[in-house]
Amino acid sequence: MSEMNAVNFNAGRWMYSVANKITRIIPGLTLTIILLTLAAQISLLAASFLPLKAIILIGSPNIPSYFPEYLKAFERKDLFLLLCSTAALFYVLYLLSEALIKKLTKLGSERLILNSRKMILFDGQNEVASKAYLRFTRSLAAIVFLSLTIAALGYIYLELTIATLAFWLCWAIAIKLNTVIKKSRKSQNIQTNYESINPLGSVGFFAAFSYLAYDLLSDTPPKLLPAIIGILLTRQIMQRATLLIQDLTSLKEQHLQISALFFKDHKLPSEARGKPEKFWSLFTNDSVNQWASDLLQELSDTQYVKHDIKWHQTGIHDVFAIEVESETSSGQKEIYLIKVFNTNRTTLAINEATLLMEPNLEGIPTARLLQATVLDGFHCHIFTAQSLNKIPAIETGIHQAASAKILMRHSPPQSLIQKYSRSRPLLWDRLNDTTLNGFGTALNGSEHLHEFRKFMQLKHQLREILRSTPLFINNSQIGKDQIFVSNDGKLSISYWGNWSLEPIGASLQLKNLSASLPSLMADLQQHREDTQQMSEKHLMLAALCFSLDQLLSRQHYLSAAELLPEITALVTSIETENLAVIK
């Protein structure tokens, strides 16, 4: 079999190789599943067809003449009950077949993995193997079923069979022409657009039905029973053919993982996620020069005569970037940062664009996002910056703290708060009963259990205090590659994929925090009106609870328990002060 990472991946040969491998290792099991799949499909077809005949029968004064002779021996009522009970029996047979298929598929995939004698390759590999094996056996059964069904349709209603096959032939020609056109345009990584597959069965059935309607209105219409059976068989052909294409497409898209699971000599590449080949191809010299120039030309009316492009290290896996220094005919230079997100980083791209495209964000330390667009299927963000001078690694902690302080000075727009709170849990939501109950279970029998019980008695008060604390835009997951300092000392951050809204004080480092709280509180009250009723205790509580949430999410329960006494003391103190104010 050809190498899976080859550019000219032969899908047909690979499908044949895997099918051959499966039938050779577990032939009996595979044949049983194929037969059960056929039984399920035929049972479902009968369960769909018989109720229709029963309705036709009950709506007629007598048994219709086109019913088989052996059925006319029954009374009309008895025949109706027979058809209904037979339909129910076929449906039960269909359900039993599907249940057996599920069990045997799991058994077959486990045997295939055991046969390869490999370590665990990735999370959820058993599920991937089971689904792949199911799709292969279902595809083989579908080929047999389609062959039999088309043959039966050809015997019953030849003209409708020709119309059905003509539809699929036209679709195949259209796909081939589309591929040829893309090749003529020298498109990279040509892929068939499979978005049209989902409605394909319905469109094909409508086309077949249109032909049937035309034939029924012609001078020589077909008989009614062949027409009814023909349209039912046509629907099954369209559905099964569509499902077959979907299964083969899914198998092709997962060929790296499937080959690594089922073949002894194949290894899973480290870049099995996303679209590595297509993603890297964007950054070849010819390609990057072309699309960078096109993007900047569309973005600005300025006519550039030169673009100096160099690689920019983002520090984020599968997020690539380039620095572009563009020069006009007058010698004026502008600096751009263009980031491209691989498909497995789409969420980060959307998060970043959601924040930076929000109005009324003046003052936050960010490179200005000019445009969020899509480049050949990948999310692309274009920033402008005064400079792209990165900080020394040793100064990362200093600038992270400075960034957090700047962000806390600015109130998030109300529209952003509403959007975020409808989509993501805030700190008090994350410290919910389910999380805390799991925390308590882990502390059973430990010396921290008493402190945990005291904490649980104040959990409602804690959530109310956090809920009443003003929010800020938190961007704590940044490193040296995402922090810039301009020549005049202005701080700028280029990455916002993991931002969140947190109570003021969250994400502050607990070490030596108490000493810096007075100056931080004074600075906040100078810049934000909504912090006038806050105290240093609110900042410390938010910082402790944020750290508690982080530790709980990583299941570091004993470390989290060490924070409980201080959290409990702060909640008690704040509640006491609030009661004193009320009195």
Side-chain angles (χ1 to χ4, degrees):
M1 191 175 70
S2 61
E3 175 65 25
M4 291 302 104
N5 286 329
V7 175
N8 296 320
F9 168 66
N10 191 318
R13 188 190 302 173
W14 177 78
M15 297 281 185
Y16 173 78
S17 299
V18 179
N20 183 56
K21 177 86 171 180
I22 288 173
T23 53
R24 184 163 45 84
I25 295 173
I26 43 175
L29 200 57
T30 301
L31 180 60
T32 303
I33 293 174
I34 291 173
L35 292 175
L36 285 171
T37 304
L38 287 171
Q41 293 173 353
I42 293 170
S43 298
L44 186 60
L45 177 60
S48 304
F49 175 65
L50 291 175
L52 181 61
K53 295 200 71 170
I55 292 172
I56 293 172
L57 174 65
I58 204 68
S60 303
N62 300 304
I63 297 177
S65 59
Y66 53 81
F67 270 51
E69 289 296 329
Y70 63 86
L71 293 179
K72 294 179 181 178
F74 292 89
E75 293 291 331
R76 193 166 66 95
K77 183 177 179 182
D78 294 338
L79 182 56
F80 175 77
L81 294 174
L82 178 63
L83 291 173
C84 291
S85 58
T86 306
L89 184 63
F90 273 115
Y91 190 71
V92 170
L93 181 60
Y94 162 75
L95 295 176
L96 289 174
S97 299
E98 287 292 329
L100 279 172
I101 289 169
K102 186 176 181 180
K103 290 183 179 180
L104 293 178
T105 298
K106 183 179 179 182
L107 179 61
S109 62
E110 289 172 353
R111 288 187 183 178
L112 287 169
I113 292 175
L114 286 173
N115 180 75
S116 65
R117 297 182 181 90
K118 292 185 178 182
M119 297 171 60
I120 294 177
L121 300 175
F122 51 86
D123 291 338
Q125 70 170 30
N126 288 342
E127 184 179 356
V128 171
S130 180
K131 287 183 178 178
Y133 182 54
L134 174 62
R135 288 192 177 106
F136 267 109
T137 52
R138 192 165 61 191
S139 298
L140 293 173
I143 292 170
V144 176
F145 179 81
L146 285 171
S147 301
L148 295 174
T149 309
I150 291 171
L153 182 62
Y155 178 76
I156 296 169
Y157 197 160
L158 182 60
E159 294 84 355
L160 185 59
T161 307
I162 295 171
T164 302
L165 294 176
F167 168 80
W168 288 107
L169 180 62
C170 290
W171 180 78
I173 292 172
I175 291 297
K176 185 66 177 177
L177 288 174
N178 185 45
T179 305
V180 171
I181 291 170
K182 285 185 176 181
K183 282 183 178 179
S184 66
R185 295 176 181 174
K186 297 181 180 180
S187 298
Q188 295 175 340
N189 297 286
I190 297 169
Q191 296 178 345
T192 305
N193 181 11
Y194 292 106
E195 292 178 358
S196 60
I197 293 175
N198 291 332
L200 197 58
S202 300
V203 173
F205 177 73
F206 178 76
F209 178 76
S210 299
Y211 172 80
L212 178 63
Y214 163 78
D215 203 15
L216 287 170
L217 294 174
S218 67
D219 295 333
T220 56
K223 293 182 179 179
L224 185 59
L225 186 59
I228 293 173
I229 296 174
I231 201 65
L232 288 173
L233 291 178
T234 303
R235 182 152 188 82
Q236 288 296 314
I237 290 170
M238 295 299 177
Q239 288 178 341
R240 295 301 163 185
T242 303
L243 185 59
L244 175 61
I245 296 171
Q246 289 173 336
D247 283 340
L248 295 178
T249 303
S250 298
L251 289 169
K252 181 184 173 184
E253 290 175 350
Q254 289 187 303
H255 71 273
L256 291 173
Q257 292 175 313
I258 294 169
S259 294
L261 285 171
F262 294 164
F263 290 92
K264 294 177 182 178
D265 297 333
H266 286 266
K267 298 177 178 64
L268 183 67
S270 58
E271 292 184 325
R273 296 177 62 197
K275 298 178 180 178
E277 292 177 2
K278 183 179 180 182
F279 192 50
W280 274 105
S281 69
L282 290 175
F283 294 89
T284 58
N285 286 338
D286 293 339
S287 180
V288 72
N289 289 330
Q290 184 62 50
W291 63 254
S293 176
D294 291 344
L295 283 177
L296 294 178
Q297 198 61 53
E298 291 174 7
L299 185 66
S300 173
D301 295 332
T302 306
Q303 294 295 323
Y304 296 111
V305 295
K306 180 182 177 184
H307 296 290
D308 288 330
I309 299 173
K310 64 179 180 179
W311 180 267
H312 178 91
Q313 181 170 299
T314 65
I316 309 295
H317 188 264
D318 273 344
V319 179
F320 291 176
I322 56 172
E323 299 175 11
V324 184
E325 187 176 74
S326 302
E327 186 176 340
T328 64
S329 56
S330 62
Q332 182 182 354
K333 294 183 178 180
E334 296 179 3
I335 300 173
Y336 296 96
L337 174 67
I338 304 178
K339 291 197 298 183
V340 186
F341 298 76
N342 202 348
T343 51
N344 57 322
R345 294 299 185 190
T346 296
T347 301
L348 299 181
I350 294 173
N351 287 348
E352 183 171 272
T354 299
L355 174 69
L356 299 183
M357 299 300 284
E358 185 75 22
N360 304 318
L361 282 180
E362 293 84 358
I364 72 169
T366 179
R368 187 160 67 94
L369 178 63
L370 297 177
Q371 187 180 54
T373 185
V374 175
L375 173 66
D376 203 11
F378 301 100
H379 284 267
C380 176
H381 293 173
I382 306 173
F383 295 82
T384 183
Q386 294 180 358
S387 68
L388 296 173
N389 301 324
K390 293 185 179 181
I391 61 170
I394 197 171
E395 297 179 4
T396 302
I398 298 171
H399 291 292
Q400 284 175 338
S403 167
K405 185 176 180 180
I406 295 170
L407 287 170
M408 288 182 194
R409 289 174 179 170
H410 299 277
S411 301
Q414 194 60 36
S415 59
L416 186 66
I417 294 175
Q418 291 177 351
K419 190 183 300 181
Y420 185 90
S421 60
R422 290 169 183 165
S423 311
R424 305 283 179 84
L426 288 148
L427 180 55
W428 53 85
D429 298 315
R430 301 197 296 269
L431 295 175
N432 53 52
D433 287 347
T434 301
T435 301
L436 296 180
N437 289 337
F439 184 23
T441 301
L443 296 181
N444 277 336
S446 74
E447 70 231 30
H448 303 289
L449 188 58
H450 177 67
E451 286 296 338
F452 174 76
R453 287 171 177 166
K454 289 172 60 178
F455 169 81
M456 290 297 284
Q457 291 173 358
L458 296 170
K459 64 181 181 180
H460 297 297
Q461 293 90 322
L462 169 65
R463 290 169 187 158
E464 285 304 315
I465 294 170
L466 293 175
R467 192 176 282 110
S468 64
T469 304
L471 299 172
F472 81 106
I473 299 170
N474 175 48
N475 192 25
S476 57
Q477 297 184 37
I478 52 173
K480 65 180 181 65
D481 289 314
Q482 297 108 42
I483 303 174
F484 308 140
V485 178
S486 64
N487 296 330
D488 58 2
K490 186 177 180 182
L491 192 67
S492 179
I493 299 171
S494 66
Y495 175 68
W496 297 84
N498 292 310
W499 70 274
S500 62
L501 290 183
E502 306 291 349
I504 291 181
S507 80
L508 291 175
Q509 296 298 315
L510 297 179
K511 187 177 180 180
N512 301 323
L513 178 58
S514 299
S516 62
L517 284 180
S519 60
L520 177 59
M521 191 71 250
D523 181 76
L524 289 172
Q525 291 181 339
Q526 181 180 352
H527 288 88
R528 290 183 64 163
E529 287 294 328
D530 55 3
T531 61
Q532 301 305 314
Q533 304 302 317
M534 285 181 58
S535 68
E536 298 164 20
K537 295 177 183 178
H538 289 82
L539 296 178
M540 178 61 81
L541 182 63
L544 287 166
C545 289
F546 184 81
S547 182
L548 175 69
D549 173 58
Q550 297 294 302
L551 291 169
L552 292 179
S553 67
R554 296 193 293 267
Q555 298 184 350
H556 295 175
Y557 295 120
L558 296 181
S559 299
E562 295 174 0
L563 303 177
L564 296 182
E566 195 170 358
I567 292 175
T568 303
L570 283 170
V571 173
T572 303
S573 177
I574 293 172
E575 282 293 296
T576 302
E577 291 176 0
N578 289 341
L579 288 173
V581 170
I582 294 173
K583 291 180 180 179

Short mmCIF file of all heavy atoms in Angstrom, two decimals, residues 172-182:
data_model
loop_
_atom_site.label_atom_id
_atom_site.label_comp_id
_atom_site.label_asym_id
_atom_site.label_seq_id
_atom_site.Cartn_x
_atom_site.Cartn_y
_atom_site.Cartn_z
N ALA A 172 -21.49 12.23 -11.07
CA ALA A 172 -20.08 11.85 -11.15
C ALA A 172 -19.34 12.70 -12.19
O ALA A 172 -18.21 13.13 -11.97
CB ALA A 172 -19.96 10.37 -11.49
N ILE A 173 -19.99 12.97 -13.32
CA ILE A 173 -19.37 13.79 -14.36
C ILE A 173 -19.17 15.22 -13.85
O ILE A 173 -18.13 15.85 -14.10
CB ILE A 173 -20.23 13.77 -15.64
CG1 ILE A 173 -20.20 12.38 -16.27
CG2 ILE A 173 -19.75 14.83 -16.64
CD1 ILE A 173 -21.17 12.20 -17.44
N ALA A 174 -20.17 15.74 -13.14
CA ALA A 174 -20.07 17.10 -12.60
C ALA A 174 -18.90 17.21 -11.61
O ALA A 174 -18.15 18.20 -11.62
CB ALA A 174 -21.38 17.48 -11.92
N ILE A 175 -18.73 16.20 -10.75
CA ILE A 175 -17.63 16.20 -9.79
C ILE A 175 -16.29 16.14 -10.52
O ILE A 175 -15.33 16.84 -10.18
CB ILE A 175 -17.76 15.01 -8.81
CG1 ILE A 175 -18.97 15.21 -7.89
CG2 ILE A 175 -16.49 14.84 -7.98
CD1 ILE A 175 -18.88 16.41 -6.97
N LYS A 176 -16.22 15.29 -11.56
CA LYS A 176 -14.98 15.17 -12.33
C LYS A 176 -14.64 16.48 -13.03
O LYS A 176 -13.47 16.92 -13.02
CB LYS A 176 -15.14 14.04 -13.35
CG LYS A 176 -13.88 13.74 -14.15
CD LYS A 176 -12.79 13.20 -13.27
CE LYS A 176 -11.55 12.82 -14.07
NZ LYS A 176 -10.44 12.35 -13.19
N LEU A 177 -15.63 17.13 -13.62
CA LEU A 177 -15.39 18.41 -14.29
C LEU A 177 -14.93 19.47 -13.29
O LEU A 177 -14.04 20.27 -13.60
CB LEU A 177 -16.67 18.87 -15.00
CG LEU A 177 -17.06 18.11 -16.26
CD1 LEU A 177 -18.42 18.57 -16.77
CD2 LEU A 177 -16.00 18.28 -17.34
N ASN A 178 -15.53 19.48 -12.12
CA ASN A 178 -15.13 20.43 -11.07
C ASN A 178 -13.67 20.23 -10.69
O ASN A 178 -12.92 21.20 -10.50
CB ASN A 178 -16.04 20.26 -9.85
CG ASN A 178 -15.77 21.30 -8.79
OD1 ASN A 178 -15.62 22.47 -9.08
ND2 ASN A 178 -15.70 20.86 -7.54
N THR A 179 -13.25 18.97 -10.57
CA THR A 179 -11.86 18.66 -10.24
C THR A 179 -10.91 19.11 -11.34
O THR A 179 -9.85 19.68 -11.07
CB THR A 179 -11.69 17.13 -10.00
OG1 THR A 179 -12.62 16.71 -8.99
CG2 THR A 179 -10.28 16.80 -9.56
N VAL A 180 -11.31 18.88 -12.59
CA VAL A 180 -10.48 19.28 -13.73
C VAL A 180 -10.33 20.79 -13.78
O VAL A 180 -9.23 21.32 -14.04
CB VAL A 180 -11.09 18.75 -15.05
CG1 VAL A 180 -10.37 19.35 -16.25
CG2 VAL A 180 -11.02 17.23 -15.08
N ILE A 181 -11.42 21.51 -13.51
CA ILE A 181 -11.37 22.99 -13.52
C ILE A 181 -10.42 23.49 -12.44
O ILE A 181 -9.63 24.41 -12.67
CB ILE A 181 -12.78 23.56 -13.32
CG1 ILE A 181 -13.65 23.28 -14.56
CG2 ILE A 181 -12.72 25.06 -13.05
CD1 ILE A 181 -15.11 23.60 -14.37
N LYS A 182 -10.49 22.87 -11.25
CA LYS A 182 -9.59 23.29 -10.17
C LYS A 182 -8.13 23.02 -10.53
O LYS A 182 -7.25 23.81 -10.22
CB LYS A 182 -9.96 22.56 -8.88
CG LYS A 182 -11.22 23.09 -8.22
CD LYS A 182 -11.46 22.42 -6.87
CE LYS A 182 -12.67 23.02 -6.18
NZ LYS A 182 -12.92 22.39 -4.85
#
